[in-house]
Amino acid sequence: MSAVAHDAGGPGEPRHGVRIATIWAVATAVCVPLMIWVVGPHIPPYNGSLQTKEQHDVNVTLASLAVPILLMIWVYFGYSIAVFRQRGTVIVDGPPDTGEPRIQVLWVAVTSVLVLGLAIYGTIGLLGASKGAGGGQGPNPLVKPENANKILQVQVIGQQWLWTYRFPQYGGVETPNLELPVNEWVAFNVTSLDVIHSFWAYELGVKADAVPGSNNIAYAKPLRLESFQVRCAELCGIWHGHMNMVGQVVTKAQFASWIASQDRKYAGVTKYLPPYAPYYYPVPLRRG
Amino acid sequence: MEATSLPAASTAPPSPIWRELLGNYGLPWAVILGIVGYIVGHWVGVRITVDVQAQVETDQNDVAIFLGMIFAIFGWLGGLGFFSYPISRMLGRPPSHSEREDHGPWRYLRLCTDHKVVGIQYLVAVIFFFFVAGFNAMMIRSELTSANATLVNAGNYLTLVGLHGTMMLMMMSAGVLGPLGNYLVPLMIGSRRMAFPRIEALTLWLTVLAGFILLSAILLGGFPTGWTGYAPLADQARGGIDAYLVSFFLIGLALILVGTNVLTTVITMRAPGMTWNRIPIFVWGLAATSVLAVLAAPVLAAAIIMVGLDRTVDTSFFQAPEGGSPFLWDNLFWFFGHPEVYILALPGFGIVLEILPVFARKPLWGYRLAVAGMSGVALMSFMVWQHHLFVSGINANLRPFYMFTTELISIPTGVIFLNGMGTLWRARIRYTVPMLFALSFFFNFLIGGLSGVFLSDVPSDVTTHGSYFVMAHFHYTIMGGLVFALMGGVYYWVPKMTGWKLNEALGKLHFWTMFVFFNLTFFPLFAAGLLGMPRRVTNYNASLHTLNVFVSIMAFCLGASMLIFLVNLVWSLVFKREPAGANPWESKGLEWMVPSPPPVHNFDSIPVIAGLPYTYGMPDAPAVASLGPPRVAVPEGGAA
């Protein structure tokens, strides 16, 4: 610990550095397992998809790493505040240390290693099995699931103030409802017709900005038969807070019958839709 | 006329109030000419667009609004007398009376080039707008006590959110540089004035005007974009967004000017002996902030002009169908916006590291490392802006790079913690109100910084982006970091500025209520964000209702705590004045060697600096400066 070097100071002085280090070690030994096994399982997001699992694991890991750092600072400050206080009214100066270079170098080196480790860890999480961890990756994703072009394609179209979904593999039908098959990769192709929105399917761990004139692709693999909420996560105007709907993860057979029913229901509309494209330019936006 | 009445001021009866208000350049004329300017500009705007308007479907004329505001700016500045000096000089006349440093309380309503008057004007303005924006926050929290829009409708709610965010960001970015920077930098580096006194006054009055123009958005129908002003939503919005654009442009301009002024002052106006490694750490913090302001704010100003052109003359900078790109605003705004959050954070670092040694009675631990840390933050803050765009789909392949740079910036920030820890080691801490605020900075900023690590990690950011987690994070860094540090600075330096102590008991009550309720307000919001509550919405899941009601109640208590601060200011500075003396804190800083409040000319003779002002525990060390013999007769009015 940084404190030890100064401890040699006074002969009657207790060994503050050892005390701080001991308190910190005990607190860490108690709190880190608590964070991992008691608090950790309750940290959102949960296990709705491969992506939320990845996000959940990252959150638990980062929280468990944060605990020792938090405790180190808190214990140090708490100890200093309690012990190194001015007693009485006479003002006495403390020892004139102006900074021990070895501690400074050590501190910068340790934080650098930590930071480098975090960046590598984050990059692995991003590029690993979750294929972008559910985040929007732009038109040419860096990582994609196998057979990325054959998996279910869903075009998410943000517009003020509604989400609609087009299914190019099912005749380009456009519907305001969303059901997805379980245990299958889905590619969300997110775009917008007017201003910037952000497609946030909370239980699926997907978030991708919907930007006019741009196709933003995010991958997800739902794992549970459950409903999921869709919200808008980028301020898009007056009814931003109302751009929410509820989708459903269903079995493969249910999905097939659902998409067929949507096809029939919206057949009259589909023939007037523009041909499927990565993005659309409706009439230019009305100005202020 | 004032020039003749001054020498006899003690015997002559005070001049009537209407003459004080209207007999000279000043705030009343600024308001009148500002309003007249708006009306004239609006009329001109309507006249020149009369043919175009017939073809436009909306009832609002942005050309007229913009022209009105531009005319209002010039009317405001003219009413304050900013054109008097250049025009007199151009006509070959001597400088007119607006150049003189007035006496008496009325100078606080006028253009005054004394850096100490400007500092106090700034402080009053910043506190005023801080309370306006805080009141908006109270209304936001009132609305969020129910899971659906009840008290205010969705449009007004967004206006409240936008006003709160923009006002706080604008005022807090000027919050330390303006009041404490203008007041203290000359005193701490041994100078008699700032490098550009007229520019220093200009930045103040631009900031005040920007605050009022932003409030005028209410009259123009509000604006729906929040403080980020994302285009193309800003292209599409109604007239209130014009007020946002003009006011933010003015703040950008003020930031550039105040940054230039502080930098020039620090570089050129230091007293003899004040070498670069003897500059107080607070001044270093402000210098680093100024570099950010000077380099980042022009980008904001340019982006705002682009939106203004999109809205008035139908350019298409942000219109995808016509060849523009919405990503352009994202990039330009955050290229400004991320340095901007360090414009907010760095002065806080400076204040805290300046206060700690005084009340720990120890030298600042690792001065050079602290300077390196602040410079490192300033430098790196330009390389991280795309972490605001992790899920936007732009340059997705660069995300690992921005993840790395973002986490890198925690190294220089961590250094500030090491400085604090080293300074406290075996210290003799006195728990005065400024020290309590400085210590709480580390508590709050640590939580803010560690939550930032979650946001910098892309997989975690996918959940938390755009949610209340982000909102809690930046309130922990900006309010928990900067506002707590600023409060510490106010309690520390107001006795110097006014000559009166602030009440210690009320100050402690303010601190403890603010600290407790701040944490109870914002810590639960991390959970709200992780549980899926997006920012800037009136309606949220019913399951989050209890949490939000709790947060709202805590927020009201936090608001009440700020009222204690106000009561303390009024009580201590108006009703129960207690002289502070030159050096109430037993500090070794240069600014504490002159009387409180300092005389107009600051120093009788220019001081000679002998070292850093942190020589606690070094009985043999010389005083930070030798002030020279006191001047025998100070001429009336001092020297400019």
Side-chain angles (χ1 to χ4, degrees):
Chain A
M1 283 301 302
S2 62
V4 181
H6 288 288
D7 247 1
E13 194 81 16
R15 297 184 65 80
H16 301 296
V18 177
R19 286 184 181 183
I20 292 174
T22 313
I23 300 172
W24 172 75
V26 172
T28 304
V30 173
C31 292
V32 170
L34 275 181
M35 179 54 88
I36 296 176
W37 286 294
V38 179
V39 180
H42 300 287
I43 297 179
Y46 307 109
N47 48 359
S49 72
L50 199 60
Q51 284 63 36
T52 50
K53 277 190 167 174
E54 167 73 29
Q55 295 163 14
H56 171 83
D57 291 348
V58 168
N59 282 346
V60 174
T61 311
L62 291 181
S64 310
L65 281 175
V67 165
I69 299 171
L70 203 68
L71 286 174
M72 183 182 80
I73 307 279
W74 280 0
V75 167
Y76 186 97
F77 272 84
Y79 186 90
S80 307
I81 287 168
V83 175
F84 302 139
R85 59 190 308 163
Q86 170 75 49
R87 287 164 213 282
T89 49
V90 183
I91 293 177
V92 186
D93 285 359
D97 328 320
T98 50
E100 168 65 43
R102 279 176 303 172
I103 296 174
Q104 300 182 13
V105 170
L106 183 71
W107 177 276
V108 172
V110 169
T111 48
S112 304
V113 169
L114 270 176
V115 159
L116 203 63
L118 279 176
I120 292 170
Y121 173 73
T123 307
I124 292 172
L126 177 65
L127 305 181
S130 68
K131 308 298 177 198
Q137 301 197 61
N140 305 303
L142 189 59
V143 277
K144 16 183 150 176
E146 286 172 32
N147 302 321
N149 295 325
K150 298 205 176 117
I151 61 175
L152 177 64
Q153 304 286 321
V154 180
Q155 182 170 49
V156 180
I157 304 171
Q159 52 215 287
Q160 286 172 326
W161 287 272
L162 179 72
W163 298 105
T164 58
Y165 307 92
R166 276 192 94 170
F167 293 83
Q169 292 146 327
Y170 296 89
V173 59
E174 183 170 357
T175 155
N177 311 308
L178 184 58
E179 294 194 6
L180 295 172
V182 73
N183 286 327
E184 301 269 337
W185 279 99
V186 185
F188 294 99
N189 296 261
V190 186
T191 186
S192 164
L193 299 183
D194 34 48
V195 302
I196 299 177
H197 305 270
S198 190
F199 175 71
W200 184 11
Y202 176 69
E203 280 82 358
L204 303 184
V206 172
K207 193 175 282 151
D209 279 10
V211 182
S214 154
N215 181 21
N216 192 10
I217 300 175
Y219 298 106
K221 188 179 182 186
L223 297 180
R224 278 157 61 103
L225 294 168
E226 62 176 3
S227 60
F228 59 89
Q229 301 177 59
V230 174
R231 299 212 62 152
C232 180
E234 187 59 70
L235 187 51
C236 58
I238 182 168
W239 300 118
H240 161 63
H242 293 257
M243 261 182 89
N244 34 7
M245 51 90 68
V246 177
Q248 186 75 35
V249 180
V250 295
T251 62
K252 206 168 179 183
Q254 284 170 324
F255 175 75
S257 70
W258 174 79
I259 193 76
S261 77
Q262 299 294 308
D263 235 344
R264 279 195 304 281
K265 189 174 174 186
Y266 293 104
V269 180
T270 308
K271 61 186 174 192
Y272 293 110
L273 290 177
Y276 180 84
Y279 45 83
Y280 308 93
Y281 288 136
V283 288
L285 197 66
R286 185 179 63 83
R287 304 299 174 84
Chain B
M1 78 203 87
E2 273 251 27
T4 51
S5 68
L6 251 181
S10 51
T11 52
S15 48
I17 285 179
W18 67 266
R19 171 168 286 184
E20 288 288 357
L21 289 176
L22 296 176
N24 203 340
Y25 292 115
L27 190 59
W29 275 117
V31 172
I32 294 167
L33 289 184
I35 292 171
V36 170
Y38 183 83
I39 293 168
V40 171
H42 194 275
W43 180 79
V44 172
V46 169
R47 296 308 300 164
I48 62 176
T49 54
V50 69
D51 298 332
V52 189
Q53 267 299 297
Q55 302 159 17
V56 176
E57 53 192 284
T58 61
D59 56 336
Q60 282 183 320
N61 184 336
D62 290 296
V63 175
I65 295 174
F66 273 118
L67 273 184
M69 287 181 178
I70 291 166
F71 276 55
I73 295 167
F74 283 100
W76 168 270
L77 294 181
L80 283 162
F82 274 99
F83 304 124
S84 155
Y85 175 83
I87 289 176
S88 324
R89 298 303 269 177
M90 270 190 276
L91 297 176
R93 294 182 194 147
S96 68
H97 54 244
S98 73
E99 282 312 297
R100 213 190 40 244
E101 282 158 359
D102 285 340
H103 285 259
W106 295 106
R107 69 191 158 157
Y108 288 99
L109 293 182
R110 294 189 189 129
L111 191 174
C112 185
T113 48
D114 181 351
H115 72 94
K116 296 182 288 301
V117 173
V118 172
I120 288 173
Q121 288 171 325
Y122 244 122
L123 190 63
V124 172
V126 165
I127 289 176
F128 172 76
F129 286 116
F130 178 78
F131 273 87
V132 172
F135 182 68
N136 287 335
M138 293 298 109
M139 305 235 277
I140 291 169
R141 280 322 311 182
S142 306
E143 166 52 46
L144 289 175
T145 52
S146 78
N148 293 297
T150 46
L151 290 175
V152 293
N153 65 35
N156 289 344
Y157 180 78
L158 290 185
T159 302
L160 279 178
V161 170
L163 280 180
H164 167 72
T166 317
M167 185 74 84
M168 282 292 187
L169 261 292
M170 284 174 19
M171 289 308 147
M172 287 301 118
S173 50
V176 177
L177 266 184
L180 300 182
N182 277 322
Y183 199 102
L184 293 167
V185 165
L187 284 171
M188 290 173 103
I189 64 173
S191 159
R192 284 190 172 142
R193 59 175 176 91
M194 295 289 282
F196 306 114
R198 214 167 292 107
I199 283 181
E200 144 209 316
L202 179 65
T203 59
L204 162 81
W205 291 108
L206 287 180
T207 306
V208 173
L209 180 62
F212 286 117
I213 287 187
L214 183 67
L215 287 178
S216 75
I218 300 169
L219 304 176
L220 294 167
F223 62 101
T225 62
W227 86 277
T228 49
Y230 267 25
L233 182 61
D235 279 8
Q236 177 206 47
R238 283 173 58 83
I241 195 77
D242 298 339
Y244 162 89
L245 294 170
V246 173
S247 61
F248 225 159
F249 181 87
L250 289 182
I251 284 291
L253 191 61
L255 273 180
I256 300 167
L257 293 175
V258 79
T260 314
N261 198 4
V262 169
L263 268 186
T264 314
T265 309
V266 173
I267 293 172
T268 62
M269 312 273 291
R270 282 169 290 139
M274 177 67 85
T275 52
W276 284 102
N277 56 6
R278 288 176 183 172
I279 296 179
I281 198 70
F282 174 65
V283 178
W284 267 113
L286 289 186
T289 311
S290 302
V291 171
L292 290 184
V294 169
L295 293 180
V299 181
L300 171 78
I304 282 176
I305 291 174
M306 289 178 185
V307 181
L309 290 175
D310 263 17
R311 288 179 62 81
T312 50
V313 296
D314 268 5
T315 53
S316 292
F317 287 109
F318 309 110
Q319 299 290 338
E322 292 152 39
S325 170
F327 286 128
L328 181 59
W329 175 268
D330 286 10
N331 268 319
L332 291 178
F333 182 79
W334 286 116
F335 188 81
F336 154 77
H338 205 81
E340 159 73 13
V341 302
Y342 287 101
I343 292 176
L344 300 170
L346 276 172
F349 296 176
I351 293 175
V352 166
L353 293 185
E354 190 70 38
I355 289 177
L356 274 188
V358 177
F359 298 107
R361 301 305 295 180
K362 279 195 62 195
L364 175 60
W365 197 92
Y367 167 82
R368 281 159 194 260
L369 190 67
V371 172
M374 288 181 181
S375 316
V377 169
L379 185 73
M380 278 192 234
S381 67
F382 283 101
M383 295 191 260
V384 301
W385 81 95
Q386 280 207 357
H387 66 213
H388 296 272
L389 307 170
F390 271 159
V391 296
S392 72
I394 184 174
N395 280 352
N397 300 353
L398 275 177
R399 285 179 299 173
F401 171 74
Y402 283 105
M403 185 161 25
F404 177 60
T405 54
T406 305
E407 280 158 4
L408 213 55
I409 212 165
S410 55
I411 298 173
T413 314
V415 157
I416 306 298
F417 280 85
L418 182 67
N419 295 128
M421 291 161 75
T423 308
L424 290 186
W425 179 248
R426 293 178 56 202
R428 300 279 189 274
I429 305 172
R430 285 180 292 159
Y431 295 106
T432 56
V433 180
M435 187 60 170
L436 291 173
F437 275 105
L439 288 172
S440 66
F441 164 91
F442 289 101
F443 183 91
N444 298 333
F445 204 82
L446 180 65
I447 297 175
L450 288 177
S451 59
V453 173
F454 287 75
L455 291 165
S456 73
D457 188 286
V458 179
S460 184
D461 182 62
V462 172
T463 302
T464 47
H465 181 91
S467 77
Y468 263 73
F469 190 92
V470 178
M471 186 272 199
H473 159 72
F474 69 72
H475 278 85
Y476 258 98
T477 52
I478 297 176
M479 181 159 187
L482 174 79
V483 176
F484 273 77
L486 177 60
M487 283 296 171
V490 166
Y491 277 99
Y492 182 61
W493 278 303
V494 158
K496 172 56 58 184
M497 293 173 159
T498 61
W500 293 301
K501 280 182 188 164
L502 291 177
N503 187 298
E504 192 83 359
L506 276 174
K508 283 193 172 153
L509 182 66
H510 169 218
F511 167 76
W512 282 111
T513 47
M514 182 169 160
F515 178 69
V516 169
F517 291 120
F518 164 77
N519 279 287
L520 288 176
T521 302
F522 290 103
F523 201 81
L525 292 177
F526 285 119
L530 282 172
L531 289 167
M533 183 166 166
R535 291 166 66 186
R536 300 155 164 171
V537 294
T538 48
N539 57 330
Y540 50 85
N541 278 354
S543 60
L544 294 173
H545 185 231
T546 317
L547 185 67
N548 271 289
V549 170
F550 174 78
V551 168
S552 288
I553 294 170
M554 293 303 127
F556 298 144
C557 296
L558 180 60
S561 154
M562 304 310 292
L563 293 180
I564 300 176
F565 168 65
L566 212 55
V567 168
N568 193 359
L569 280 188
V570 176
W571 174 259
S572 309
L573 302 182
V574 181
F575 292 110
K576 199 84 179 174
R577 290 172 171 177
E578 207 183 326
N583 191 0
W585 311 115
E586 308 276 339
S587 165
K588 300 206 175 184
L590 176 58
E591 76 271 30
W592 300 100
M593 298 175 75
V594 295
S596 310
V600 170
H601 52 277
N602 293 354
F603 302 100
D604 288 343
S605 58
I606 292 296
V608 178
I609 311 294
L612 271 174
Y614 309 117
T615 51
Y616 304 98
M618 304 176 187
D620 305 332
V624 57
S626 55
L627 289 185
R631 202 185 276 188
V632 182
V634 179
E636 184 75 48

